[in-house]
């Protein structure tokens, strides 16, 4: 059995000191949002509790699906690098960036430089940049494929983008790893299904992603961005593909969104198929420590009964 832990949207705080010059951009909107809303509900103590519980569950690998920071300030990006070091060795933790990690022009390049050890594919020799995605890591019989949808956007927008070039590379990786009989886990920040988030937060490239799944398939897709513990399904080449979201890792109880959670996915071969068991663990109300919230078996038979394809 391979145990994969999934967390997302830590939005690490508190914010470092911000200069007027740094706020002369989209960051001004984000700074106001942080002061009025996010700082009240996103707390490091919650993240620490979630991470401690996750470590105790003994995962073989950790997937982090973006939005580690808030305004993509240099100090935030460095703090996130230090936080990633606490999660485990770089070869045991895989990261994809979110829209907050690419909040303003230039931030994505800094993230690629500082977080490169956690976003580098096996045997990769080129520097981590936009063209390095998707990357591939193989652990046992599990193929971890990291897709980037992160781009700087206009104020009040939080869209993601899956362009044609990255789509072609993703299709190639899925086809190659599928031919090797690996369990293919795709990590992406923006949910690749319609209506999972409002229009100003949606992924441009949902149709492209759906076509790739239909032609090449995957066993699991993990995403963040929505701050919701969601479960969707896409039509895949070899059957339904579960698309799993998770509550924000730093979300304190009492907000509009569910309190902090992480996912555990136990993966085992089942003949020519794979058996996936999803367990959501997190905070229920103000209670600590984290408690089991939901357990779902993502077997092929269950998937066929509850298939919900959004076009």
């Amino acid at each position: 059995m391979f145990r994969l832990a999934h967390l997302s949207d830590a939005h690490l705080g508190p914010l470092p000191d911000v200069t007027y010059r740094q706020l002369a951009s989209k960051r001004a909107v984000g700074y106001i949002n942080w002061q009025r809303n996010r700082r009240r509900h996103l707390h490091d103590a919650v993240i620490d509790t979630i991470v401690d519980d996750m470590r105790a569950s003994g995962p073989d690998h950790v997937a982090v699906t973006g939005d580690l920071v808030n305004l993509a300030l240099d100090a935030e990006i460095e703090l996130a690098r230090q936080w990633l070091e606490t999660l485990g060795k770089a070869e045991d933790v895989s990261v994809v960036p979110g829209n907050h990690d690419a909040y303003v022009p230039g931030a994505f390049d800094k993230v690629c430089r500082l977080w490169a050890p956690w976003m580098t594919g096996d045997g990769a020799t080129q520097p981590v940049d936009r063209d390095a995605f998707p990357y591939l890591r193989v652990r046992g019989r599990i193929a971890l494929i990291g897709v980037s949808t992160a781009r700087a956007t206009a104020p009040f927008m939080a869209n993601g983008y899956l362009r044609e070039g990255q789509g072609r590379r993703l299709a190639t990786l899925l086809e190659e790893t599928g031919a090797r009989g690996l369990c293919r886990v795709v990590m992406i920040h923006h949910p690749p299904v319609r209506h999972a988030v409002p229009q100003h937060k949606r992924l441009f490239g949902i149709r492209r992603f759906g076509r790739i799944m239909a032609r090449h398939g995957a066993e699991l897709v993990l995403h963040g961005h929505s701050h919701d513990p969601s479960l969707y399904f896409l039509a895949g080449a070899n059957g339904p593909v579960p698309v799993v979201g998770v509550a924000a890792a730093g979300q304190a109880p009492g907000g509009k969104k569910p309190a902090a959670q992480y996912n555990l996915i136990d993966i085992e071969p089942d003949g020519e198929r794979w058996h996936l068991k999803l367990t959501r663990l997190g905070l229920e109300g103000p209670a600590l420590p984290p408690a089991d919230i939901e357990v779902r078996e993502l077997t092929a038979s269950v998937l066929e009964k509850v298939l919900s394809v959004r076009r």
Side-chain angles (χ1 to χ4, degrees):
M1 185 187 74
F2 187 92
R3 173 163 286 181
L4 177 64
H6 170 220
L7 52 82
S8 193
D9 298 87
H11 292 287
L12 297 167
L15 281 182
D17 293 335
V18 184
T19 66
Y20 287 112
R21 182 177 180 181
Q22 290 170 324
L23 290 178
S25 64
K26 178 183 176 178
R27 285 193 178 117
V29 176
Y31 181 78
I32 293 172
N33 186 37
W34 171 267
Q35 294 295 339
R36 294 179 62 181
N37 299 302
R38 289 182 179 271
R39 71 183 181 91
R40 301 178 185 178
H41 302 295
L42 293 166
H43 299 290
D44 286 355
V46 171
I47 297 171
D48 291 345
T49 301
I50 288 292
V51 169
D52 287 347
D53 195 75
M54 182 193 71
R55 284 201 198 96
S57 69
D60 297 294
H61 202 86
V62 179
V64 184
T65 52
D67 276 4
L68 279 67
V69 301
N70 299 283
L71 306 183
L73 297 162
D74 289 355
E76 285 187 288
I77 295 171
E78 169 60 25
L79 174 66
R81 183 194 66 79
Q82 297 175 24
W83 179 73
L84 286 171
E85 289 179 342
T86 71
L87 293 185
K89 297 179 180 178
E91 59 266 29
D92 297 327
V93 180
S94 295
V95 175
V96 294
N99 56 290
H100 278 267
D101 305 322
Y103 205 65
V104 294
F108 182 86
D109 295 332
K110 295 174 184 176
V111 161
C112 286
R113 288 195 298 271
L114 285 182
W115 303 354
W118 296 272
M119 301 193 300
T120 301
D122 294 339
T125 56
Q126 71 180 85
V128 175
D129 57 19
R130 200 169 296 281
D131 293 332
F133 294 91
Y135 66 81
L136 170 66
R137 292 175 157 190
V138 178
R139 302 293 182 264
R141 294 184 61 194
I142 311 300
L144 298 152
I145 300 173
V147 174
S148 174
T149 56
R151 283 183 181 271
T153 57
F156 305 105
M157 304 299 287
N159 299 112
Y161 296 84
L162 179 64
R163 303 294 193 189
E164 184 178 355
Q166 187 175 189
R168 286 197 303 268
R169 297 191 294 272
L170 174 60
T172 298
L173 285 181
L174 289 170
E175 192 65 25
E176 292 175 350
T177 51
R180 292 165 60 183
L182 302 178
C183 179
R184 299 160 297 174
V185 179
V186 178
M187 302 169 293
I188 187 170
H189 180 65
H190 292 78
V193 293
R194 298 191 187 281
H195 312 301
V197 292
Q199 282 293 101
H200 70 285
K201 296 183 178 182
R202 64 164 289 197
L203 171 66
F204 288 98
I206 285 177
R207 184 176 298 177
R208 175 174 290 120
F209 190 91
R211 289 198 301 265
I212 292 170
M213 290 296 107
R215 294 172 183 172
H216 305 282
E219 282 60 56
L220 178 64
V221 177
L222 301 175
H223 72 83
H225 192 53
S226 65
H227 296 200
D228 285 322
S230 56
L231 177 61
Y232 300 94
F233 297 93
L234 291 173
N238 303 309
V241 179
V243 180
V244 176
V246 66
Q251 182 72 40
K256 294 181 181 179
K257 290 290 187 177
Q261 297 179 16
Y262 68 96
N263 292 328
L264 278 183
I265 303 100
D266 291 331
I267 306 172
E268 292 183 282
D270 183 12
E272 296 183 356
R273 295 176 177 265
W274 292 91
H275 177 267
L276 284 70
K277 177 184 176 183
L278 167 65
T279 305
R280 302 188 191 275
L281 300 104
L283 309 182
E284 282 192 308
L288 293 175
D292 290 359
I293 293 174
E294 175 188 14
V295 177
R296 295 195 69 162
E297 301 282 344
L298 301 183
T299 60
S301 59
V302 172
L303 296 183
E304 289 162 4
K305 292 178 182 178
V306 297
L307 174 62
S308 173
V309 180
R310 295 176 183 260
R311 302 185 186 278

